[in-house]
Amino acid sequence: MATTKVDIGLIDTTGTASSSTFLRGDGAWAAPVGGSLVLLETDTLGGAASEIQSTAFDNSTYNHHRIMIQELVPATDGGVTAYMQLEIGDTFITANYAWSTTRMPAAATGQTSFGYNYDDVDTGIRISSGTTGSGTGESMVGYIDLYNTADSGLYKMVSGRMNAHSHNTVENYPMYVSGLLQQTGQVTGCKVYWGSGNIEAGGTIKLYGIS
């Protein structure tokens, strides 16, 4: 059977053909559904700074966003903990957060027990369980999902998975994070910061919308 090319314009279809649609079996051009990540913004520090922010939330399209954290290193060695705050409207909220973190047993030390931390009333959501310094090779990476960002009537929920190197020993700490901001309204931004000191240059967060 010979191969024949058919011009798209000759096919009886509905919808619009584009780089973000596909042709279904019923002849309709449609966007893929379910679970796609769309990059909205990348923020990388050009120099040491007290925080790193992302404010490109697209609440008209997404009610679920994800922050990817890369190369987060404290500028001062000594072992510090990372936090996140959310922006509602044009104001970063500094109260009414609750969070918990669970640390898996650390590699290379023979540890077999889980560690956990929690706080019911805090100024931000803690997103690390162990402590990280700025020694050779140390950093923190991972992702945090933010839910109900567009729903102005619901509290804001977060959950995620982080991975960090311990400041004190040669240990890898995989961590699970969950948190809550007890405030309504739409989320318009978030920021990540260490509990004390600056973030080194090169720290990056990427904001995604999740459909």
Side-chain angles (χ1 to χ4, degrees):
M1 179 178 178
T3 300
T4 301
K5 295 182 178 179
V6 179
D7 188 282
I8 290 295
L10 299 177
I11 303 175
D12 185 16
T13 64
T14 59
T16 303
S18 73
S19 59
S20 61
T21 59
F22 70 99
L23 185 60
R24 297 192 316 210
D26 61 359
W29 292 101
V33 295
S36 62
L37 287 170
V38 177
L39 179 63
L40 302 177
E41 184 178 47
T42 299
D43 295 279
T44 300
L45 292 179
S50 61
E51 61 191 40
I52 182 168
Q53 297 185 11
S54 184
T55 57
F57 281 70
D58 182 3
N59 290 313
S60 64
T61 306
Y62 307 104
N63 195 36
H64 179 190
H65 290 75
R66 173 173 290 182
I67 291 288
M68 300 287 288
I69 299 172
Q70 299 173 322
E71 300 178 24
L72 201 71
V73 180
T76 303
D77 199 19
V80 291
T81 302
Y83 290 84
M84 170 183 285
Q85 286 182 346
L86 303 182
E87 181 186 59
I88 303 291
D90 295 323
T91 303
F92 277 100
I93 308 303
T94 60
N96 299 320
Y97 292 95
W99 54 263
S100 65
T101 61
T102 302
R103 186 186 71 235
M104 303 288 285
T109 65
Q111 288 189 5
T112 59
S113 61
F114 290 83
Y116 68 92
N117 299 94
Y118 67 91
D119 198 324
D120 293 331
V121 182
D122 206 346
T123 57
I125 295 172
R126 183 171 171 173
I127 60 172
S128 66
S129 182
T131 56
T132 302
S134 58
T136 302
E138 290 188 64
S139 69
M140 187 180 74
V141 299
Y143 67 89
I144 302 292
D145 283 343
L146 299 95
Y147 302 93
N148 305 331
T149 59
D151 195 323
S152 60
L154 295 177
Y155 289 161
K156 309 309 160 189
M157 310 287 288
V158 309
S159 64
R161 171 76 183 271
M162 304 298 296
N163 196 12
H165 183 283
S166 171
H167 166 71
N168 298 310
T169 56
V170 183
E171 297 174 352
N172 169 57
Y173 280 116
M175 299 164 289
Y176 294 96
V177 177
S178 63
L180 164 70
L181 170 58
Q182 299 178 69
Q183 183 160 327
T184 58
Q186 290 194 343
V187 176
T188 54
C190 71
K191 65 180 178 182
V192 174
Y193 57 97
W194 293 110
S196 63
N198 288 336
I199 303 170
E200 281 192 355
T204 298
I205 60 175
K206 294 184 177 182
L207 175 66
Y208 293 85
I210 302 181
S211 60

